[in-house]
Amino acid sequence: MNNILYYTVLSATILLYCIGLNRVELSKSYKDMFLTAVKMYIIVPSTAVFSWIFVAKVLVPLGLETLYPFIAVLLFIAVSVFFEALIRITAGQSAAEYSISFLCVLIATHESCTLLEVLLISLSCVTSYYLILPLIFSLRRHLKFFCIVKDSYSDGLVYISIAVIILAMSAWNISWLNPGVLP
């Protein structure tokens, strides 16, 4: 439960790791976002689990665990291309999203110790991305509405607002507030 809460809310991947921050677009329709979300919920956990198993069973005994990003890329490409072709055949449109999905796979593979943690962290990363999208959309909409000079709107105010949210979410992790730090 701690992993789910931590990776979904407290250190949301889009906030703390800034995964997908540049990919948040207002032009996507909800149907496109739904297909991308379904694809990410299938691809990220499956690729992360396959990568972790390969790393734990093959690379770690050989002492080659530093090659796990390369293995993760190969597995991710294979799984992603298969599901992209399946979505294009069935839905008739593209749901291509590679950077966010792959970075979630790397986080899940790197920061887990067990197979269950890989699954939970990968699902939590994808969930945090889709939970934070409405917040960013509303920030952009409110900043456009309340901007004094309409022509001077930029994403800079959105990034500053997100930085304030990151500081607020990370405020609980202050070392001097933890018991036992001061004698």
Side-chain angles (χ1 to χ4, degrees):
M1 192 63 172
N2 287 338
N3 283 339
I4 294 171
L5 192 67
Y6 180 74
Y7 285 100
T8 304
V9 179
L10 295 177
S11 85
T13 42
I14 195 169
L15 293 177
L16 193 62
Y17 298 107
C18 296
I19 291 177
L21 194 57
N22 60 343
R23 295 285 191 172
V24 178
E25 299 171 305
L26 289 172
S27 62
K28 283 191 167 185
S29 67
Y30 288 112
K31 185 177 180 184
D32 293 341
M33 285 178 59
F34 179 75
L35 285 175
T36 306
V38 168
K39 182 182 173 193
M40 282 179 69
Y41 273 111
I42 293 170
I43 289 174
V44 171
S46 61
T47 305
V49 166
F50 291 147
S51 298
W52 190 86
I53 290 171
F54 190 82
V55 168
K57 301 296 181 191
V58 176
L59 294 182
V60 170
L62 295 175
L64 300 172
E65 58 270 354
T66 56
L67 292 176
Y68 87 88
F70 178 69
I71 299 302
V73 166
L74 293 178
L75 291 171
F76 178 76
I77 288 172
V79 172
S80 184
V81 167
F82 173 73
F83 279 104
E84 178 66 25
L86 190 66
I87 288 174
R88 282 189 187 207
I89 290 170
T90 57
Q93 56 186 345
S94 175
E97 204 331 284
Y98 296 107
S99 62
I100 300 169
S101 302
F102 178 66
L103 291 174
C104 289
V105 167
L106 282 183
I107 286 174
T109 307
H110 184 72
E111 295 189 4
S112 60
C113 295
T114 65
L115 197 57
L116 182 62
E117 283 183 1
V118 170
L119 190 63
L120 291 177
I121 291 172
S122 63
L123 289 172
S124 296
C125 287
V126 175
T127 302
S128 72
Y129 177 74
Y130 285 104
L131 282 178
I132 213 75
L133 281 179
L135 175 72
I136 293 175
F137 287 164
S138 66
L139 272 174
R140 282 186 175 170
R141 185 177 208 152
H142 285 276
L143 288 173
K144 276 186 180 179
F145 181 73
F146 289 114
C147 192
I148 296 170
V149 181
K150 299 290 184 192
D151 295 334
S152 68
Y153 173 76
S154 69
D155 283 338
L157 290 174
V158 174
Y159 292 134
I160 291 171
S161 301
I162 290 172
V164 170
I165 292 170
I166 291 169
L167 288 173
M169 296 295 276
S170 300
W172 64 274
N173 194 13
I174 299 174
S175 63
W176 59 79
L177 295 178
N178 293 332
V181 173
L182 297 175

